[in-house]
C-alpha cells in the first residue's frame, strides 16, 4: 500500500474484507492469464504447432513470474471448505475463471478449424486442476513443470487435431468407434 502512495487503511477501504481483496487478486491474475493465452493463440494464427509453442511459452513465463498464485488459490479453496459464506464467492470466481478457460479452448479449436471431441468445459476443468496441482508441487520443491505438462497435454490435443483434420495416416483408421491402437510398452 505504501509503495503505491496509500496508507493501509486507505488501501483496505476499497474492500469489504481481506477475503474480497484475495478474490480480487485472483480475478486480476485470471484476467492476466486469459489475456496472455489469448495473445498466444493470436500469435499462433491457427497453426497447431505454433499453438503448442506459444501457449507453452506463455505459461512458462507466467508460472515463473508469480508462483505464489498457486498457494493463494489453494489457501482460498481450503478457506471455502470451512466458510459457507465465502464458498459462494469463491465458487462464483472459480466459475468465471472456468468459463474463460473453456472459451479459450473453444477458440483454439475454432482457430485450427477443428471440433473438440470432448466438452471444452470438461477440458477446462482438467487444465485448471493440472495447473493448480503442478503449481503447488513446484511451491514445495518438486521440479516438475506445469508448462511442460501443459505442453505434453497440448501436444496430445494437437496430434488429435491433425487426426481429425486428416493430416496423418491415423485419420483413416482412427475414430470414435475405432480408436488408434495402444502404444506397446518399451521392453524393460
Amino acid at each position: 500500500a505504501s509503495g503505491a502512495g496509500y496508507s493501509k487503511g486507505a488501501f483496505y477501504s476499497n474492500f469489504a474484507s481481506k477475503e474480497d481483496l484475495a478474490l480480487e487478486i485472483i480475478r486480476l491474475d485470471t484476467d492476466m492469464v486469459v489475456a496472455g493465452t489469448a495473445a498466444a493463440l493470436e500469435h499462433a494464427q491457427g497453426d497447431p504447432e505454433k499453438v503448442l509453442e506459444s501457449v507453452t511459452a506463455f505459461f512458462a513465463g507466467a508460472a515463473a513470474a508469480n508462483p505464489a498464485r498457486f498457494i493463494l488459490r489453494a489457501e482460498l479453496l481450503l478457506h471455502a471448505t470451512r466458510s459457507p459464506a465465502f464458498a459462494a464467492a469463491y465458487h462464483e470466481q472459480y466459475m468465471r475463471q472456468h468459463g474463460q478457460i473453456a472459451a479459450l479452448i473453444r477458440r483454439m479449436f475454432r482457430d485450427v478449424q477443428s471440433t473438440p471431441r470432448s466438452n471444452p468445459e470438461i477440458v477446462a476443468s482438467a487444465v485448471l486442476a493440472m495447473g493448480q496441482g503442478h503449481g503447488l508441487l513446484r511451491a514445495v520443491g518438486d521440479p516438475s513443470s506445469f508448462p511442460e505438462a501443459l505442453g505434453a497435454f497440448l501436444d496430445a490435443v494437437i496430434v488429435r487435431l491433425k487426426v481429425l483434420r486428416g493430416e496423418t495416416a491415423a485419420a483413416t483408421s482412427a475414430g470414435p468407434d475405432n480408436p488408434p491402437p495402444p502404444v506397446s510398452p518399451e521392453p524393460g
Side-chain angles (χ1 to χ4, degrees):
S2 62
Y6 296 98
S7 69
K8 283 184 181 180
F11 177 77
Y12 283 114
S13 70
N14 291 298
F15 303 97
S17 66
K18 288 182 182 179
E19 293 169 339
D20 286 347
L21 170 61
L23 287 172
E24 179 65 10
I25 291 168
I26 295 298
R27 186 192 67 77
L28 292 171
D29 182 64
T30 297
D31 290 349
M32 183 277 304
V33 168
V34 168
T37 306
L41 290 174
E42 186 70 31
H43 174 75
Q45 299 179 343
D47 178 334
E49 297 296 331
K50 285 185 181 177
V51 167
L52 173 64
E53 184 180 299
S54 297
V55 172
T56 302
F58 167 72
F59 276 96
N66 185 10
R69 70 169 42 106
F70 304 108
I71 296 169
L72 177 60
R73 289 176 187 272
E75 291 288 345
L76 292 177
L77 178 58
L78 289 171
H79 181 57
T81 66
R82 296 184 294 266
S83 169
F86 180 70
Y90 179 86
H91 180 73
E92 181 180 321
Q93 174 60 35
Y94 175 82
M95 292 310 296
R96 177 181 176 274
Q97 176 186 19
H98 187 273
Q100 290 173 308
I101 299 298
L104 287 169
I105 291 165
R106 284 197 261 333
R107 176 184 171 182
M108 180 183 74
F109 277 94
R110 187 175 55 249
D111 287 357
V112 298
Q113 301 175 353
S114 188
T115 303
R117 291 187 47 119
S118 295
N119 181 333
E121 302 291 327
I122 293 170
V123 177
S125 294
V127 168
L128 288 169
M130 184 172 49
Q132 183 64 31
H134 273 277
L136 287 173
L137 288 172
R138 288 201 69 172
V140 296
D142 186 316
S144 65
S145 169
F146 172 65
E148 291 170 7
L150 180 63
F153 179 76
L154 288 176
D155 189 51
V157 170
I158 288 166
V159 167
R160 187 65 189 148
L161 287 173
K162 288 180 177 183
V163 168
L164 291 172
R165 289 171 55 180
E167 295 178 17
T168 68
T172 58
S173 62
D177 298 323
N178 186 24
V183 176
S184 300
E186 293 189 25

